[in-house]
Amino acid sequence: MTHKLYTRGTCRSDTSGSAPLGVGIIGMGGIGAMHARALGELSGRARLVAYSGRARPPAGPGKRDLPAARLAAHEVITHPDVDVVAICTPSGTHAALALAALEAGRHVVVEKPLALDVDDALRVARAAHERGLSVSMIAQRRQEAEHVALRRALDDGALGELRIATTHVHWHRDDAYYRAAGWRSTTAQGGGSLMNQGVHNVDLLRWLCGPVESVTAQSGTLAHAIEAEDTTVATLRFASGALGVVTTTTATPPGFPATIALFGSRGSAELGQGEVRRWDVPGVPEPRPGRTTSGAAAPLAIGHAGHLAQWTRILDALETSAPVPVGADDALETVRLLCAIQQAAATGTTVRPADLGDLGDPPG
């Protein structure tokens, strides 16, 4: 039996069985360690070949150190045994590293967000298309059982016509959090409650409810001595006609689990993090939530189960040459919405996400 592993733009056939996918992690911090743990639980389907960063990867199954080489970022990208580069560095570096990996012929897995502006996200998406390579942005909350069930209910029409959609990320980060990593304090490097903390729920809302036609927003720095905003409030008009609200903050101690709520003409639902707060969906049983924990007060409290679920789907896709989950074009649309909210807050105007760049037109 021949197994195919889609790697570096070609299909590599291995008649002796599937070879483990070689992965290089750039940025072995807290999030990089989550990726390493996930890779260690993939039953030999992938192996950590190389990594960059000051910390060591966590011990693998049986508490054995993972036999990976510690290298500079560019050496991880060009390592001959690396098929996929996982980018776990500060947000402002994501696009440049993704482009470098694609240019070296590697697939890319990148933490949220794909990029900080639409032009950079477009460049990554175009490079992936041109080289026949895959880019998957980590959006692990899409894998959670309750969100999968809600998406299915929407697709099946169980909620009826969607009318209102809201998401609230009312978290808390203390001053020490911002002092620990300077990029978290600056808009230019991806700091702020919207781009850094709220990104997952903005992505979820777009994934569940479809394209956003227009955005208005306000933002402010209410509780921290930082350059970036720590609170954003936005209103959305979806292409479907539904209206939405997004609020994100790190200024509400002690921090509360993020929520998402949808209200339709036939039913409604409200989900927290690892909990179903309300499920009034006729004919559809309430889903059993997974074991997701909240990052409301501590960034790494979320665990690595969602990363493991997405990595499993990424491997399934690469082994069959199928599209990866949350591919470059999909991730681009989340960047487009985030940037529309930022622009609306900065200008006080209504912004149409669709006006912020076009995949068919190169940026100026």
Side-chain angles (χ1 to χ4, degrees):
M1 180 177 181
T2 298
H3 301 268
K4 289 183 177 179
L5 181 64
Y6 189 59
T7 178
R8 295 201 277 277
T10 62
C11 279
R12 182 177 65 198
S13 296
D14 178 7
T15 56
S16 62
S18 291
L21 191 78
V23 178
I25 296 178
I26 300 179
M28 190 55 72
I31 295 297
M34 287 190 186
H35 284 259
R37 289 190 183 98
L39 293 171
E41 296 179 21
L42 286 167
S43 303
R45 297 178 66 194
R47 68 184 182 96
L48 180 59
V49 172
Y51 69 97
S52 70
R54 289 174 292 180
R56 292 177 60 84
K63 305 300 182 183
R64 291 175 289 114
D65 286 343
L66 296 172
R70 180 180 172 185
L71 304 170
H74 72 275
E75 294 173 318
V76 173
I77 289 172
T78 58
H79 192 292
D81 294 330
V82 166
D83 301 304
V84 179
V85 174
I87 299 168
C88 305
T89 50
S91 299
T93 66
H94 288 181
L97 288 169
L99 283 169
L102 290 167
E103 288 167 2
R106 272 58 173 175
H107 300 294
V108 172
V109 173
V110 57
E111 273 293 335
K112 53 74 181 174
L114 174 64
L116 298 185
D117 63 65
V118 176
D119 283 352
D120 280 346
L122 284 165
R123 291 184 182 97
V124 173
R126 289 195 193 101
H129 286 298
E130 289 168 0
R131 290 163 175 78
L133 295 164
S134 294
V135 173
S136 181
M137 183 189 76
I138 292 294
Q140 75 272 17
R141 300 209 62 204
R142 295 192 192 186
Q143 320 298 320
E144 294 166 8
E146 58 271 30
H147 293 125
V148 172
L150 183 55
R151 173 63 185 263
R152 186 179 300 116
L154 279 165
D155 290 345
D156 292 344
L159 272 71
E161 179 184 284
L162 185 64
R163 291 174 175 170
I164 295 176
T166 68
T167 188
H168 303 298
V169 184
H170 295 172
W171 286 3
H172 177 244
R173 296 291 184 265
D174 60 18
D175 291 339
Y177 167 83
Y178 289 103
R179 287 195 300 269
W183 70 269
R184 297 168 177 167
S185 303
T186 67
T187 302
Q189 291 300 311
S193 71
L194 176 69
M195 192 69 76
N196 194 19
Q197 282 79 30
V199 54
H200 280 301
N201 275 59
V202 170
D203 176 78
L204 273 176
L205 203 67
R206 186 189 67 77
W207 176 64
L208 288 165
C209 304
V212 173
E213 183 179 277
S214 61
V215 173
T216 64
Q218 296 186 70
S219 64
T221 307
L222 308 183
H224 303 95
I226 61 175
E227 177 269 324
E229 53 77 31
D230 64 13
T231 304
T232 289
V233 177
T235 65
L236 315 179
R237 181 178 295 276
F238 292 92
S240 67
L243 300 179
V245 174
V246 172
T247 64
T248 69
T249 185
T250 59
T252 49
F256 306 89
T259 63
I260 189 163
L262 304 185
F263 301 86
S265 58
R266 295 182 55 199
S268 62
E270 182 180 4
L271 305 177
Q273 291 183 271
E275 66 173 329
V276 177
R277 295 191 167 194
R278 185 178 67 256
W279 187 266
D280 298 317
V281 185
V284 180
E286 180 178 312
R288 178 176 297 181
R291 297 181 179 179
T292 305
T293 52
S294 171
L300 300 181
I302 59 173
H304 72 286
H307 288 76
L308 176 59
Q310 186 159 341
W311 267 106
T312 299
R313 291 190 58 200
I314 290 167
L315 293 184
D316 290 344
L318 292 177
E319 289 171 356
T320 60
S321 300
V324 293
V326 200
D329 294 353
D330 194 352
L332 162 65
E333 294 309 314
T334 294
V335 173
R336 201 189 298 275
L337 177 54
L338 289 164
C339 290
I341 294 173
Q342 286 184 325
Q343 183 172 317
T347 62
T349 62
T350 299
V351 177
R352 288 171 45 85
D355 292 341
L356 304 182
D358 186 332
L359 191 58
D361 297 326

